[in-house]
């Protein structure tokens, strides 16, 4: 029997309610728990995120060569341009403006509280037609 029942990625931020709205919209997620200092959401695929109030939270910076060991989230998408428009509409911002072409195309962003995340293009697995 597993000792740990579930895992949740928790992001510290000054306003968990506002950050939860950003990710609920981006991930088409539902709120599963909320207290005065924490909001948790779950996406359709079961991915869980929580946002914990820290009134002294300072946004991470990227890239940060003096301390490059910070976590970020990867989201796999089918259309980078479409999801980028949604990220910006919801208050996120691009961290890298260059396109990285190829089978591992990805783009970096920051959520409204400054946490970095990556949108990564799904690599087609179907055989080439024609």
């Amino acid at each position: 029997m597993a000792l740990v029942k579930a895992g949740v990625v928790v992001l510290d931020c000054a306003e968990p309610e506002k950050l939860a709205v950003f990710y609920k919209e981006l991930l088409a997620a539902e709120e599963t728990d909320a207290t005065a200092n924490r909001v948790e959401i779950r996406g359709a695929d079961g991915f869980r995120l929580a946002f914990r109030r820290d009134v002294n939270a300072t946004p991470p910076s990227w890239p940060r060569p003096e301390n490059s060991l910070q976590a970020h989230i990867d989201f796999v998408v089918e259309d980078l341009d479409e999801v980028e428009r949604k990220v910006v509409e919801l208050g996120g911002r691009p961290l890298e403006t260059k396109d990285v072409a190829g089978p591992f195309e990805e783009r970096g962003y920051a959520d409204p509280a400054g946490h970095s995340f990556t949108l990564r293009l799904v690599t087609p697995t179907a055989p080439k037609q024609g």
Side-chain angles (χ1 to χ4, degrees), residues 2-108:
L3 296 175
V4 176
K5 300 290 184 195
V8 179
V9 175
V10 180
L11 300 176
D12 291 344
C13 57
E15 299 176 283
E17 301 83 3
K18 287 184 179 180
L19 196 55
V21 169
F22 173 83
Y23 282 104
K24 279 185 350 188
E25 291 292 321
L26 181 63
L27 303 173
E30 65 177 337
E31 188 173 299
T32 58
D33 189 37
T35 66
N37 290 310
R38 189 173 183 278
V39 178
E40 185 174 319
I41 65 170
R42 181 177 52 238
D45 68 349
F47 182 71
R48 296 169 59 182
L49 274 174
F51 314 95
R52 185 181 69 90
R53 187 177 318 281
D54 178 352
V55 294
N56 296 316
T58 54
S61 62
W62 184 264
R64 187 168 62 182
E66 70 277 4
N67 185 2
S68 62
L69 297 176
Q70 62 177 315
H72 73 276
I73 304 167
D74 275 3
F75 296 110
V76 178
V77 302
E78 292 183 5
D79 185 328
L80 284 168
D81 294 330
E82 178 183 8
V83 181
E84 178 176 280
R85 284 189 294 275
K86 186 67 171 178
V87 165
V88 172
E89 172 189 313
L90 293 170
R93 64 181 169 81
L95 293 177
E96 302 167 10
T97 55
K98 66 178 192 278
D99 261 344
V100 182
F104 302 107
E105 186 173 5
E106 59 183 41
R107 297 179 190 165

Side-chain angles (χ1 to χ4, degrees), residues 76-78 102-105 120-129:
V76 178
V77 302
E78 292 183 5
F104 302 107
E105 186 173 5
R120 190 165 42 91
L121 190 60
V122 174
T123 306
T125 56
K128 233 180 182 178
Q129 300 291 322

